[in-house]
Amino acid sequence: MAAASPLSPEELLLPKGGSGKAEELEEELEDEDELEETLSERLWGLTEMFPEGVRAAAGATFDLSLSVAQRMYRFSRAALWIGTTSFMILVLPVVFETEKLQMEQQQQLQQRQILLGPTTGLSGSMPGALPPLSGKI
């Protein structure tokens, strides 16, 4: 038998083909360095996989969408302002007047009930007016 050559500690720790393992470790360290890029850098790098025409169309679509959203926001603000002020000027006075009229009618009904009794106040007839006809005509 031939005399075996003594093995170094590195050879004892690494299996056969161990030099490949060391290269893999170095590659993993390099990969970890590449992972330190930011999200924006990654997204920017992904744009390179699309043709220039697609990128331009996507950019134009985004710009158009943003512009339409801004215009719709401005329009809705103006429409809400016009609608609210128009309601306040045109409708609220009518609502207040009808409420005032109802309150006056309630007060008159209460005064009739106090002066003439509860039955006349509910009938709604005017004092001094003829009583309603009870028979058929």
Side-chain angles (χ1 to χ4, degrees):
M1 285 206 173
S5 64
L7 296 174
S8 69
E10 293 172 353
E11 293 174 343
L12 288 173
L13 293 175
L14 293 175
K16 291 185 180 179
S19 62
K21 192 72 167 172
E23 290 174 6
E24 289 177 22
L25 290 174
E26 288 177 15
E27 288 177 13
E28 286 180 18
L29 291 175
E30 289 175 9
D31 289 342
E32 288 179 7
D33 292 339
E34 291 174 12
L35 294 178
E36 293 179 8
E37 62 188 359
T38 64
L39 179 65
S40 60
E41 290 171 342
R42 283 187 173 228
L43 290 175
W44 186 256
L46 285 175
T47 60
E48 295 173 356
M49 79 186 240
F50 296 105
E52 180 62 34
V54 173
R55 290 186 296 202
T61 303
F62 176 76
D63 291 340
L64 179 65
S65 300
L66 185 63
S67 171
V68 167
Q70 287 174 341
R71 287 181 184 167
M72 290 299 293
Y73 175 70
R74 281 190 229 120
F75 173 77
S76 63
R77 265 188 9 205
L80 184 63
W81 174 255
I82 291 170
T84 303
T85 55
S86 297
F87 176 78
M88 290 168 135
I89 293 171
L90 300 174
V91 177
L92 281 181
V94 173
V95 170
F96 291 148
E97 286 299 318
T98 55
E99 185 69 26
K100 181 180 171 185
L101 181 63
Q102 287 176 354
M103 292 295 287
E104 288 175 357
Q105 288 174 350
Q106 272 186 337
Q107 286 177 349
Q108 287 177 357
L109 183 63
Q110 287 175 351
Q111 285 176 355
R112 282 187 201 150
Q113 285 177 347
I114 292 171
L115 292 175
L116 302 174
T119 56
T120 57
L122 294 176
S123 66
S125 62
M126 297 289 292
L130 294 174
L133 296 174
S134 59
K136 292 184 180 180
I137 299 178

